[in-house]
Amino acid sequence: MIKRFFSIFVVVLLVSIGGGWMFFGCVPDKEIPSDDAVQDEEDYIVIGLSQIGSESDWRNANTGSFKSVFTAENGYYLLFEDAQQKQENQLKAVRDFILQEVDYIILDPIVETGWDTVLMEAKDAKIPVILVDRQIVVEDEDFYTCWVGSDFREEGRRAGEWLEEYLKDQGRQGEEIRIVTLQGTPESSAQIGRTMGFQDVVSRNADWKMLDRRNGEFTQAKGQEVMRDLLRTYEDIDVLISENDNMTFGAIEAIESAGRTCGPKGDIIVISFDAVRAAIRYMQKGKINADFECNPLLGPKVAQIIEELEDGGHVEKIQYIEEQYFDASMDLERILEERVY
Ligand code: GZL
């Protein structure tokens, strides 16, 4: 505890003396209570949060959800580390948190593998690890206390089932349907689950042809670049499956630059994932047919879990967050009014 208090004190001292350091990025992004708020670190539950990056609107909403909950006013001291989409930065962050003897580690693992050693170190240090959003594959499930997030495979299945119904309504049953997919970060559980879930439905539709699946890295720039190449490679694409909205935004730019059209009145059906506000606006403009929500607002649920653990309670190992989907037939203006991200 002394070591941790000293390190926290040093960080607060550095920030208060060398405020200018913040402008040069010398001090990592840490939620530091104001001086008068930092009485005794025992007053706070110290959280180390390793976040993947800031690659998408979804990710920023996810980060915002944690930062809005883990505040000094709510009794938390948050150490936040942005890994810039690199697993090695997450491994370093977790080890830093262990050295600082945080009370809890929250980890959003960029990919599913490569976590056993660092999680064993956290377990040896008796620091509970709560996994959020993406999932991992480890040799010992005791390496983490619980996981909170989305059922990615179910998201993919729902998208496939929606397309089945849509094609039926359009009178296109039995027609050959040529599909391409923009995938998210390879080996991330979001990519694996969405791809597998949609494939579950493809495999029962003999007329559906999956022409290609390419990595769009969950970013708008890569999504546009890859979609441009797919349009040059395949003449008559009927459906785009895009595993997050930011890739979809890039793909729509590529489709329109190629003189093609998309959405309910276009020649390419666009199905996306995340359902951020900007995507609902694209849907209002008639450019996206359907969007499958991936709820980023995990902060309150994780805080509830920590409170249960603080009270010595038991928590479920796997905790799915509620999700829905949206399509162009719905009252999108009302939906936009209700959505917070
Ligand atoms: C899914 C999350 C994915 C989002 C992308 O839970 O991990 O990462 O779908 C984000 O927008 O980049």
Side-chain angles (χ1 to χ4, degrees):
M1 286 303 197
I2 298 297
K3 187 193 312 181
R4 181 175 83 194
F5 182 71
F6 176 75
S7 62
I8 290 172
F9 176 75
V10 165
V11 170
V12 171
L13 188 64
L14 281 177
V15 170
S16 51
I17 291 172
W21 283 29
M22 298 293 278
F23 296 105
F24 302 104
C26 302
V27 177
D29 174 12
K30 301 203 186 322
E31 297 298 305
I32 295 165
S34 59
D35 290 2
D36 55 359
V38 181
Q39 289 103 20
D40 177 346
E41 52 99 33
E42 292 302 333
D43 297 343
Y44 294 93
I45 298 173
V46 182
I47 307 281
L49 169 56
S50 171
Q51 176 61 289
I52 289 172
S54 52
E55 74 284 359
S56 66
D57 295 30
W58 187 96
R59 182 67 53 204
N60 297 334
N62 179 245
T63 295
S65 177
F66 290 123
K67 287 190 172 181
S68 66
V69 162
F70 295 121
T71 61
E73 293 73 22
N74 290 341
Y76 295 99
Y77 184 98
L78 178 65
L79 299 172
F80 176 83
E81 295 294 343
D82 176 333
Q84 311 283 319
Q85 294 262 41
K86 292 184 174 64
Q87 181 175 29
E88 62 264 27
N89 291 343
Q90 292 199 284
L91 296 170
K92 181 184 178 307
V94 172
R95 291 192 165 102
D96 287 349
F97 296 150
I98 292 169
L99 280 175
Q100 296 185 68
E101 297 177 1
V102 299
D103 295 308
Y104 294 88
I105 291 172
I106 299 174
L107 169 66
D108 189 338
I110 185 166
V111 291
E112 293 200 336
T113 56
W115 305 99
D116 292 86
T117 304
V118 76
L119 293 181
M120 194 186 307
E121 293 165 17
K123 185 179 179 184
D124 291 346
K126 296 183 174 37
I127 299 176
V129 174
I130 296 171
L131 298 179
V132 294
D133 176 26
R134 297 185 188 173
Q135 294 161 310
I136 62 174
V137 174
V138 283
E139 65 195 40
D140 181 352
E141 294 296 317
D142 284 343
F143 283 167
Y144 63 95
T145 301
C146 65
W147 169 85
V148 182
S150 303
D151 185 339
F152 301 117
R153 187 160 188 173
E154 180 58 22
E155 289 175 0
R157 280 199 200 102
R158 285 184 180 177
E161 289 158 4
W162 181 91
L163 182 59
E164 283 180 323
E165 284 307 306
Y166 183 75
L167 292 170
K168 195 189 302 180
D169 294 347
Q170 297 288 309
R172 298 178 67 178
Q173 265 180 314
E175 182 185 318
E176 181 178 84
I177 301 296
R178 301 161 60 79
I179 306 169
V180 293
T181 299
L182 290 178
Q183 292 182 301
T185 306
E187 299 310 305
S188 67
S189 53
Q191 176 273 306
I192 293 169
R194 289 169 186 161
T195 298
M196 286 175 71
F198 189 79
Q199 181 57 34
D200 290 342
V201 182
V202 169
S203 52
R204 67 175 184 238
N205 285 275
D207 302 318
W208 293 11
K209 303 288 177 247
M210 184 57 75
L211 300 173
D212 208 338
R213 294 187 173 106
R214 300 268 183 91
N215 172 23
E217 294 178 354
F218 279 140
T219 66
Q220 182 164 340
K222 192 68 176 175
Q224 180 177 1
E225 175 196 320
V226 172
M227 190 65 198
R228 187 169 51 231
D229 191 40
L230 287 167
L231 288 162
R232 287 177 185 150
T233 307
Y234 303 99
E235 274 184 23
D236 45 355
I237 295 170
D238 299 307
V239 179
L240 165 65
I241 304 298
S242 174
E243 293 182 352
N244 93 320
D245 288 334
N246 291 79
M247 293 190 293
T248 303
F249 303 156
I252 290 170
E253 286 179 57
I255 289 169
E256 293 179 336
S257 302
R260 304 286 299 277
T261 55
C262 55
K265 295 189 171 62
D267 50 34
I268 298 179
I269 296 167
V270 175
I271 296 175
S272 188
F273 292 85
D274 282 353
V276 297
R277 290 175 66 89
I280 305 298
R281 289 199 195 97
Y282 269 92
M283 199 178 281
Q284 277 184 314
K285 293 175 193 159
K287 302 192 178 191
I288 294 176
N289 293 73
D291 206 330
F292 292 79
E293 181 182 43
C294 177
N295 189 343
L297 306 180
L298 304 180
K301 183 118 183 146
V302 176
Q304 180 192 358
I305 287 168
I306 288 175
E307 296 304 321
E308 284 165 17
L309 293 170
E310 285 289 293
D311 293 344
H314 169 75
V315 295
E316 291 299 316
K317 193 78 174 178
I318 300 293
Q319 305 200 27
Y320 289 116
I321 198 103
E322 289 302 310
E323 296 178 333
Q324 53 187 320
Y325 80 90
F326 307 97
D327 69 26
S329 69
M330 297 177 179
D331 179 354
L332 300 177
E333 199 51 49
R334 178 188 55 77
I335 289 166
L336 271 175
E337 284 163 12
E338 292 168 357
R339 293 188 74 64
V340 295
Y341 66 93

